[in-house]
């Protein structure tokens, strides 16, 4: 009988398909090749645009404050309280009364003329919260300024009578100064009310 010899396979089973790396034989690492769509004209990779999002803004540069303008040519603009305006007007009128008594021979007309600008300054310098005090303190200051001008040869009684006589004869200057102070106060009050209404009508920012 014929016996067929069986050959031992010298090689392993054939594998069809792509070649795979054998285990245990490490090869060089492969890096992914960028696609041609992400390259520019010169072959350089094109960076993808950053997604929109919150970006850091540069810190604002602080500029130095401008130098204050020179105030050499500006008039003083103080703000007096009700008591301060009364003291200011009374002291100024007393000094003007003494000046008129020394220089103008106790002239009541010169005193009345000087009384008008003092009334205007008092009404202009009083602060906004005490506007209504200006027309009240002005007549009192007028009477205080008449003390150096009042005729009185005797004691306090004759001095008081001379003061009352000066007030009666110079009532025109007294009313004129009070009217000036009242008009200035009314104008300032109207402007103050208008500013408050304008500020209240502005829309919030």
């Amino acid at each position: 009988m014929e016996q067929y010899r069986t050959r031992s396979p010298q090689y392993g089973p054939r594998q069809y398909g792509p070649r795979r790396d054998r285990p245990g034989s490490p090869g060089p690492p492969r890096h992914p090749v960028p696609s041609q769509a992400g390259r520019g004209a010169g072959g350089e990779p094109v960076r993808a645009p950053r997604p929109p999002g919150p970006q850091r803004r540069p810190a604002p540069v602080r500029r130095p404050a401008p130098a204050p303008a020179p105030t050499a040519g500006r008039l003083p603009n103080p703000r007096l309280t009700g008591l301060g305006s009364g003291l200011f007007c009374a002291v100024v009128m007393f000094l003007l009364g003494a000046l008129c008594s020394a220089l103008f021979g106790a002239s009541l007309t010169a005193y009345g003329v000087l009384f008008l600008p003092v009334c205007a300054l008092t009404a202009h310098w009083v602060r906004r919260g005490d506007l209504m005090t200006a027309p009240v303190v002005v007549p009192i200051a007028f009477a205080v300024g008449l003390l150096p001008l009042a005729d009185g040869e005797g004691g306090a009684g004759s001095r008081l009578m001379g003061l009352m006589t000066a007030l009666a004869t110079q009532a025109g200057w007294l009313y004129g100064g009070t009217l000036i102070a009242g008009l200035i106060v009314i104008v300032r009050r109207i402007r103050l009310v208008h500013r408050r209404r304008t500020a209240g009508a502005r829309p919030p920012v």
Side-chain angles (χ1 to χ4, degrees):
M1 295 177 62
E2 293 183 1
Q3 296 181 355
Y4 297 93
R5 298 180 180 179
T6 58
R7 293 182 179 181
S8 58
Q10 297 179 0
Y11 302 98
R14 296 182 178 180
Q15 297 179 358
Y16 300 93
R19 184 178 179 181
R20 299 179 181 177
D21 297 335
R22 295 180 181 179
S25 58
R30 297 182 179 180
H31 299 281
V33 180
S35 60
Q36 297 296 331
R39 294 179 175 272
E44 299 178 355
V46 181
R47 296 182 180 179
R50 295 183 179 179
Q55 300 179 358
R56 293 183 179 179
R57 297 181 179 179
V61 180
R62 295 183 178 181
R63 297 181 179 180
T71 57
R74 297 179 59 182
L75 296 176
N77 190 20
R79 285 292 174 256
L80 304 175
T81 61
L83 180 60
S85 62
L87 291 176
F88 164 76
C89 193
V91 170
V92 171
M93 292 310 302
F94 184 83
L95 294 178
L96 290 178
L99 184 64
C100 291
S101 178
L103 299 180
F104 302 105
S107 174
L108 296 177
T109 303
Y111 176 79
V113 171
L114 296 175
F115 174 67
L116 300 181
V118 175
C119 294
L121 290 177
T122 303
H124 181 68
W125 285 348
V126 67
R127 65 181 185 180
R128 298 174 182 176
D130 299 327
L131 285 176
M132 304 310 298
T133 59
V136 177
V137 301
V138 161
I140 300 174
F142 185 82
V144 172
L146 285 177
L147 291 176
L149 298 175
D151 296 332
E153 298 178 357
S158 61
R159 176 75 62 176
L160 183 59
M161 290 298 297
L163 178 62
M164 298 300 294
T165 303
L167 286 174
T169 55
Q170 304 300 320
W173 297 110
L174 175 61
Y175 294 152
T178 307
L179 180 61
I180 291 175
L183 290 176
I184 295 177
V185 166
I186 291 174
V187 171
R188 290 187 60 190
R189 182 66 180 178
I190 293 174
R191 293 178 60 185
L192 178 61
V193 173
H194 179 69
R195 288 179 182 177
R196 289 179 179 177
R197 289 181 179 179
T198 305
R202 292 179 180 175
V205 179

